[in-house]
Amino acid sequence: MKENRVCELLGIKYPLFQGAMARIADASLAAAVSNAGGLGIITGAAPTEWVREQIRKAKELTDKPFAVNLMLQMENVDEIAELVCEEGVKVVTTGAGSPGKYMDKWKEHDIKVIPVVASVALAKRMEKSGAHAIVAEGTESGGHVGQLTTMTLIPQVADAVSIPVIGAGGIGDGRGIAAAFMLGAEGIQVGTRFLVAKECNIHQNYKDKVLKAKDIDTEVTGRSTGHPVRVLRNKLSRTYLKLEKEGASVEEIEKIGIGCLAKAVVEGDVENGSLMCGQIAGLVNKEQTCKEIIEEMFKEANERFKLFGGKNE
């Protein structure tokens, strides 16, 4: 790899983050990504003791850096913020708000803080509050999304801040890496392609739906509630959109989503479960190990666009 600020900051081989997918990003997936040279991330959108268990398990599976993601709207966020200090986690990513209240404590514990943002204004605020880098995530991504596309968001964020920018949303191969770097990113975050990684513990039915997905098979639900989520089309998403079109209340709409992610991830219910997935799904057509995914992506970036010097060593 050529000199790269993200790799230098975190001590990783490839400037690649694995998306912190709720109910999906566990120790198995995070450790596999970290062992392959990227930054594996454990979701913090879970009970506190589960997160503690996954952190300790990841430490058994890898001696490489990994991160924990904090969804700042979770009820137990204060506990998770303290937990990462107690367990010696060295990297934290955050979403759904500003982590400003935790910054001083995290810095006391030498934790690198990398917020996920969907706007230039929030990126500037995060840099001012002491963030070490920024993940600029476009609306092409799976799960909770903003409005701006990756193509428009990355260059504007890169122009607005001096800290490294990690591009996310719609990146699933070497061409996506090259595009993100040309737009001003110094790293990339990938979620959807890791859904079908062999180390990813979601139900096979969920993986099969991703593998069979076409370019137009995702849609965004929940825009009327202020919590838009990109998913693969199914019975649940159609019900969501029907209720939104009919002007149903926020309470009525959100009630049908309770437990739906678990239905997809654990039970394999691909009609009534929430199949969070990005628009890049149409490019994902095979199951691989995390190592194979990462090495293939960066080899392609190197061969096609000469962004990375020499061989992938």
Side-chain angles (χ1 to χ4, degrees):
M1 295 290 297
K2 287 184 177 179
E3 185 176 319
N4 179 276
R5 287 199 295 170
V6 174
C7 291
E8 291 175 358
L9 175 69
L10 303 177
I12 56 180
K13 181 178 180 181
Y14 297 108
L16 175 143
F17 290 18
Q18 159 243 314
M21 300 167 282
R23 295 199 70 97
I24 297 170
D26 60 8
S28 172
L29 180 59
V33 170
S34 291
N35 282 332
L39 182 75
I41 303 178
I42 295 170
T43 177
T48 305
E49 287 310 308
W50 182 91
V51 179
R52 187 189 303 276
E53 175 186 316
Q54 295 304 306
I55 291 171
R56 292 180 177 180
K57 184 177 178 181
K59 289 179 179 179
E60 295 174 357
L61 296 173
T62 185
D63 60 355
K64 303 292 192 299
F66 65 88
V68 171
N69 174 265
L70 276 76
M71 289 296 290
L72 297 166
Q73 293 180 348
M74 292 288 291
E75 291 182 0
N76 64 335
V77 64
D78 289 345
E79 294 179 0
I80 303 294
E82 183 66 31
L83 174 65
V84 295
C85 299
E86 294 173 0
E87 294 296 325
V89 175
K90 292 304 180 185
V91 186
V92 164
T93 64
T94 67
S98 170
K101 64 182 285 189
Y102 308 113
M103 283 294 202
D104 289 342
K105 187 171 186 62
W106 286 343
K107 288 192 174 181
E108 288 175 8
H109 287 79
D110 195 28
I111 295 174
K112 302 294 189 297
V113 184
I114 306 175
V116 178
V117 305
S119 71
V120 170
L122 186 54
K124 287 181 176 179
R125 187 153 60 115
M126 293 301 94
E127 181 178 37
K128 188 174 293 186
S129 70
H132 295 84
I134 291 289
V135 177
E137 184 176 66
T139 193
E140 298 94 325
S141 61
H144 296 276
V145 295
Q147 292 281 359
L148 293 175
T149 65
T150 302
M151 177 73 91
T152 57
L153 182 63
I154 292 176
Q156 292 182 77
V157 170
D159 286 349
V161 300
S162 60
I163 54 179
V165 174
I166 294 92
I171 301 171
D173 61 12
R175 293 171 296 181
I177 294 174
F181 272 70
M182 292 301 293
L183 292 170
E186 296 178 59
I188 50 104
Q189 179 167 287
V190 175
T192 298
R193 188 160 178 185
F194 285 121
L195 286 173
V196 300
K198 292 182 179 179
E199 299 91 345
C200 182
N201 290 319
I202 64 174
H203 198 284
Q204 188 62 42
N205 291 353
Y206 193 158
K207 292 187 178 186
D208 290 343
K209 289 292 285 187
V210 175
L211 292 168
K212 294 174 183 176
K214 300 186 294 295
D215 58 336
I216 59 171
D217 283 351
T218 69
E219 57 192 354
V220 177
T221 63
R223 289 203 187 278
S224 66
T225 69
H227 301 101
V229 177
R230 184 175 298 284
V231 297
L232 286 173
R233 301 174 192 271
N234 64 359
K235 181 179 177 181
L236 176 66
S237 68
R238 290 192 292 272
T239 301
Y240 254 107
L241 293 174
K242 182 174 182 291
L243 287 173
E244 290 188 70
K245 186 176 181 180
E246 293 172 350
S249 67
V250 172
E251 293 76 15
E252 185 180 358
I253 293 171
E254 293 190 339
K255 183 179 180 180
I256 67 168
I258 297 173
C260 287
L261 185 55
K263 286 182 181 179
V265 173
V266 180
E267 301 172 21
D269 186 341
V270 295
E271 282 302 322
N272 302 295
S274 180
L275 300 170
M276 295 188 184
C277 185
Q279 288 182 319
I280 204 67
L283 281 180
V284 179
N285 52 30
K286 56 187 174 183
E287 291 187 55
Q288 297 171 288
T289 65
C290 291
K291 186 174 188 291
E292 289 168 341
I293 290 170
I294 293 171
E295 290 184 351
E296 180 180 287
M297 290 180 68
F298 280 91
K299 181 180 179 182
E300 181 180 16
N302 185 37
E303 291 177 347
R304 285 174 173 259
F305 300 96
K306 308 301 179 185
L307 285 180
F308 305 98
K311 298 179 180 178
N312 291 319
E313 299 176 351

